Amino acid sequence: MEREKMREVHELKCELTATYKLTTPLFMAGAEQTAAELRAPSVKGALRFWYRAAALARLGDWHKVREEEQRIFGSTGTGQGRFLLSVTGKGLSEPEIFDFRRDRAGIAYLGYGLREAQRKYFKPGAEITVRLLFRPDSGEVVIAPVKKALIALGLFGGLGARARNGLGSVALTSLKLDGVEEWQNPQNEKELQERIAAFVHGLAPLPAELPEYTAFSGRSRIVVAGMGRDAVELLDGIGRKMMAYRRDIKGDSALIRKFLNRGDIGTHPRRVAFGLPHNYFFRADRAKAEVKADRRERRAGPLFIHIHSLAGGQYAAVLALLPAVFLPAEEKIQISGSGRNKNVPCLVDYEVVNNFMQEFPNRLEVVL
């Protein structure tokens, strides 16, 4: 079996190597959820996500995206994909439990649930290298979409738990095809803004309508939201701002309070636009309420927070709003509490998230 594997690797031709800098705490685990482990399947899963996000503009249809994804990445129906993937970490810290008590209210908010689960993490600063060996007949038609996924991961994404909330952010620092460098990491926030714009323009024409799933579209919005010399502090600041913003969304708490008192409710809170489920707790009488999708329960948020590493020890925060159809047409949102359950129509307004992005006065807008 090992000999066959070696022969298979020997026959592979093109090699794509992406190197990332880990900029924020990484919570990645395998079967043992409280441990920390750098895992190739998890990285491949992240690449599949960003492949799908970028491929819709080119292919124009979810079914075509899925078909191509299965052919390139592999599936139970199509068999092995077009490449072998390996992941190595350089300078990874010994896994330890993150101290959420160190005045990190914003990180605790963005990493909701990780403290209670006692999850271990890797400290920022390590170098993560992803190596892909393609089959000889793969060609540009296979390699180019994967390259876009590697770049998207390094401009907008992260790895592990709460990656959408900025934890496990990985900044692309090098991308080589057969040893030839194809990427220069931005030196400052202006260059980062330009590099992001060039990437998104390379996906054009973007679909004008709201996508069926999370993908780049004409409805997307991306900003470089701010700079800092400490990546974790920068992320913590975004978490604090989001916590305050969501708490103060006009009418949401009053709406739930009214439901708990009288069972009277005809719509859902506006903050649903940040994802589901979310909970309410009223300290005065310890009353609780939960808001979720009535069948699927969960719906990931449309906002991606990413902390990018620049020259001179600087970091920049990137906020990417990738709106999509929030829930299937027939699905409603369920509100429960005080022994009551009520389903209301899903009327999500992404303007709520857009307004949050306005909270960063020095932001650089990426023109899509």
Side-chain angles (χ1 to χ4, degrees):
M1 188 68 181
E2 187 62 26
R3 181 177 296 176
E4 187 177 333
K5 185 82 171 176
M6 291 297 293
R7 182 166 57 81
E8 189 177 20
V9 170
H10 182 70
E11 289 174 351
L12 298 172
K13 296 279 186 177
C14 291
E15 180 181 339
L16 200 52
T17 306
T19 303
Y20 300 92
K21 180 177 179 180
L22 177 65
T23 60
T24 58
L26 170 61
F27 295 83
M28 180 183 284
E32 189 182 346
Q33 280 290 296
T34 55
E37 179 187 355
L38 186 63
R39 301 179 69 249
S42 299
V43 174
K44 189 173 183 181
L47 286 179
R48 291 184 88 125
F49 172 85
W50 287 108
Y51 159 80
R52 289 192 292 266
L56 182 64
R58 175 172 52 89
L59 297 174
D61 177 81
W62 159 238
H63 299 287
K64 292 179 181 175
V65 172
R66 184 169 54 185
E67 184 180 316
E68 185 181 81
E69 178 197 339
Q70 292 177 346
R71 193 167 61 250
I72 295 176
F73 287 84
S75 72
T76 52
T78 59
Q80 198 173 36
R82 303 301 302 169
F83 59 82
L84 294 178
L85 180 147
S86 63
V87 180
T88 56
K90 182 179 176 183
L92 280 175
S93 64
E94 282 298 315
E96 58 182 80
I97 295 176
F98 189 81
D99 185 1
F100 284 100
R101 296 170 299 177
R102 287 183 188 168
D103 194 26
R104 299 288 195 207
I107 298 285
Y109 184 73
L110 295 172
Y112 180 78
L114 295 175
R115 174 168 53 184
E116 293 74 14
Q118 292 286 291
R119 294 275 299 269
K120 290 184 177 178
Y121 80 108
F122 293 113
K123 291 180 180 177
E127 189 177 275
I128 295 173
T129 297
V130 182
R131 183 173 177 235
L132 301 95
L133 289 171
F134 289 86
R135 297 187 180 285
D137 58 345
S138 293
E140 188 68 9
V141 69
V142 170
I143 294 173
V146 178
K147 197 186 298 182
K148 282 187 169 64
L150 289 163
I151 294 173
L153 172 64
L155 285 177
F156 310 107
L159 300 171
R162 309 298 180 270
R164 292 191 185 208
N165 285 350
L167 290 167
S169 287
V170 285
L172 183 64
T173 58
S174 170
L175 181 62
K176 294 180 180 177
L177 178 60
D178 289 336
V180 178
E181 186 64 74
E182 296 199 348
W183 177 261
Q184 294 295 322
N185 194 43
Q187 297 293 296
N188 52 53
E189 61 178 334
K190 183 66 178 170
E191 280 190 24
L192 178 60
Q193 178 196 30
E194 292 170 354
R195 200 62 59 84
I196 291 172
F199 173 80
V200 179
H201 293 163
L203 306 178
L206 295 174
E209 66 277 10
L210 206 59
E212 291 180 73
Y213 69 95
T214 300
F216 292 97
S217 74
R219 307 284 284 273
S220 300
R221 182 187 178 194
I222 302 168
V223 302
V224 180
M227 297 274 292
R229 297 195 67 83
D230 186 311
V232 178
E233 279 187 11
L234 187 60
L235 181 61
D236 187 63
I238 292 172
R240 288 171 185 270
K241 196 180 280 282
M242 181 183 285
M243 184 165 49
Y245 175 82
R246 290 180 58 169
R247 184 185 58 221
D248 294 338
I249 293 177
K250 192 175 180 181
D252 275 5
S253 293
L255 183 78
I256 296 298
R257 183 78 259 184
K258 189 177 174 184
F259 167 72
L260 290 172
N261 290 344
R262 306 193 326 225
D264 184 14
I265 195 164
T267 187
H268 56 73
R270 297 180 69 215
R271 74 185 70 170
V272 160
F274 282 94
L276 293 170
H278 73 264
N279 304 316
Y280 289 80
F281 175 69
F282 295 90
R283 197 175 300 276
D285 59 357
R286 308 189 69 77
K288 297 178 182 178
E290 183 182 43
V291 182
K292 62 184 184 66
D294 69 329
R295 296 180 193 171
R296 297 162 193 255
E297 295 202 355
R298 293 186 177 276
R299 203 294 186 183
L303 183 67
F304 294 78
I305 305 170
H306 168 84
I307 305 298
H308 204 88
S309 173
L310 302 171
Q314 291 281 343
Y315 296 89
V318 177
L319 304 182
L321 170 61
L322 305 183
V325 173
F326 194 78
L327 290 175
E330 71 282 4
E331 181 143 16
K332 293 190 175 184
I333 290 176
Q334 184 179 91
I335 301 160
S336 58
S338 296
R340 302 183 177 97
N341 287 312
K342 187 155 186 179
N343 289 352
V344 298
C346 178
L347 301 170
V348 166
D349 179 7
Y350 285 116
E351 199 57 27
V352 176
V353 185
N354 253 318
N355 289 340
F356 170 68
M357 298 170 82
Q358 296 293 115
E359 296 276 306
F360 298 86
N362 298 320
R363 67 188 179 279
L364 298 179
E365 294 277 351
V366 177
V367 179
L368 303 183

